[in-house]
Amino acid sequence: MSLSPPIIDLHEDISLYYFLGGYGLKFKAEDFGVDLPGRHGDIPKFRRANAKIIFSSIAHIIPSLNAYRLGQQTSGYGVKVGAMRIRSPTLITLEHIKTYYNLLASYRDALALMSRRSDVENVFKDDRTFFLIAIEGSEPLEDIEDMDLFYMLGVRSLQITWNFDNKFAASCMSKRDYGLTGDGEELVKRCNELGVIIDLAHASRRTTLDALSASKLPAIVSHANIASVHKHVRNLDDEELEALSRNGGVVGITLIEPTIGKVADVKSLADHVQYVYQRFGSENLAIGTDFFGIMHVEEPRGLEDITKFGNLWAELINRGLSEGDVEKIAFRNALRVIEANASRWVEKPF
Ligand SMILES: [Zn+2]
């Protein structure tokens, strides 16, 4: 028996893939309507995987030869990746939003934007895949109220930091973990008012704890793994998991090879799921693949693209999780967080 629940994926960098022309990936930037061999996802694969909601991330980063940034990112990922930096993030974010609009316009019968409450209510009556647009790092916001502008453009989730410190919070690669700043706290408050889902992936430990206690709505850590299983700067420790559990949020277990362990395969990824399951039950687990963002590293064996999740579900069933638990991890928990935030979504926020 193979399980094939619907999927909500909390993190894919689809616009970055087109923006950088497939940079660092093993497959070219080609037509999204084609079932391209080796590609992490595309319309035919989303259909086969029953991918219902994809958090469609905006990584407003550009390649760089800067030695400090290269060192930072090499130490963080354990592999010599091409350095990325941030420049004109507001303008670049607008370009990414246009990329998503263009994709949605080209495939109206297969893709749709998730931006209204009715979209959340109707998602399972509709056979299309919904893109929930998310910004990866708050650098594009010069002021807190810029969040309102991005909200009006359809953005429904904000990751407070990427790998760099910013004026709202310290990142996972911070030399000096100052947590959430005063402005950061106000930003969390405004996101809550708008129903913009707070995302703490790539955040520092203090930022994560500060934001989870500041947020009145359930938050996500869209793509991260578990530090007790494999120590990594991007992974969550037990105190962060406890805070996430109190907040009612979810962690999207991720496919980024260096965050998984010495071996990256279905079994080693299942170890991360099982650890959370044994301590906190199945309520706080979700998936956040980082497809299209996992450049320069291998995907875990058995999870090379979005259609392969049956392998993980089978492994979890073998380890004693129920079908109901698997459904929660595949989509129900993420949906619960989306619904809680979407209850604030209005046509005109001001
Ligand atoms: Zn990321």
Side-chain angles (χ1 to χ4, degrees), residues 295-310:
M295 304 167 178
H296 311 286
V297 291
E298 293 292 311
E299 306 85 12
R301 238 169 307 123
L303 289 162
E304 292 82 3
D305 69 53
I306 188 85
T307 67
K308 306 278 177 72
F309 269 89

Side-chain angles (χ1 to χ4, degrees), residues 99-151:
T99 301
Y100 283 124
Y101 288 173
N102 287 328
L103 263 181
L104 294 165
S106 303
Y107 301 100
R108 283 184 207 284
D109 54 344
L111 303 175
L113 179 68
M114 172 152 285
S115 63
R116 298 168 301 187
R117 265 187 271 180
S118 58
D119 298 326
V120 184
E121 287 156 16
N122 297 328
V123 67
F124 291 104
K125 294 179 209 143
D126 194 311
D127 65 358
R128 293 175 298 176
T129 299
F130 282 76
F131 280 4
L132 188 153
I133 300 180
I135 298 179
E136 184 158 24
S138 53
E139 288 85 353
L141 281 67
E142 282 182 34
D143 298 305
I144 293 160
E145 64 183 354
D146 291 349
M147 194 60 246
D148 295 51
L149 301 180
F150 286 117
Y151 176 92

Side-chain angles (χ1 to χ4, degrees), residues 184-317:
E185 198 178 299
E186 286 300 309
L187 177 60
V188 168
K189 193 171 152 206
R190 187 60 189 145
C191 285
N192 281 174
E193 286 163 359
L194 292 167
V196 169
I197 301 165
I198 299 287
D199 184 353
L200 299 163
H202 292 264
S204 74
R205 185 169 183 283
R206 261 193 74 190
T207 296
T208 302
L209 296 174
D210 288 351
L212 286 173
S213 66
S215 181
K216 302 261 186 295
L217 288 172
I220 61 174
V221 182
S222 63
H223 54 307
N225 285 322
I226 308 306
S228 291
V229 178
H230 180 67
K231 201 167 159 44
H232 189 279
V233 63
R234 288 271 287 100
N235 289 349
L236 299 178
D237 69 19
D238 289 3
E239 201 181 336
E240 290 171 295
L241 284 170
E242 237 159 72
L244 187 66
S245 164
R246 270 199 307 276
N247 164 272
V250 292
V251 52
I253 294 296
T254 193
L255 306 187
I256 308 164
E257 185 192 27
T259 69
I260 297 172
K262 280 197 186 70
V263 182
D265 59 12
V266 172
K267 283 191 186 338
S268 53
L269 198 69
D271 292 342
H272 291 265
V273 175
Q274 197 175 9
Y275 182 89
V276 179
Y277 178 76
Q278 283 169 348
R279 277 157 191 79
F280 303 95
S282 54
E283 300 297 311
N284 306 109
L285 284 158
I287 57 167
T289 60
D290 203 17
F291 278 146
F292 300 99
I294 35 180
M295 304 167 178
H296 311 286
V297 291
E298 293 292 311
E299 306 85 12
R301 238 169 307 123
L303 289 162
E304 292 82 3
D305 69 53
I306 188 85
T307 67
K308 306 278 177 72
F309 269 89
N311 293 332
L312 180 63
W313 311 144
E315 178 64 24
L316 295 175
I317 295 283

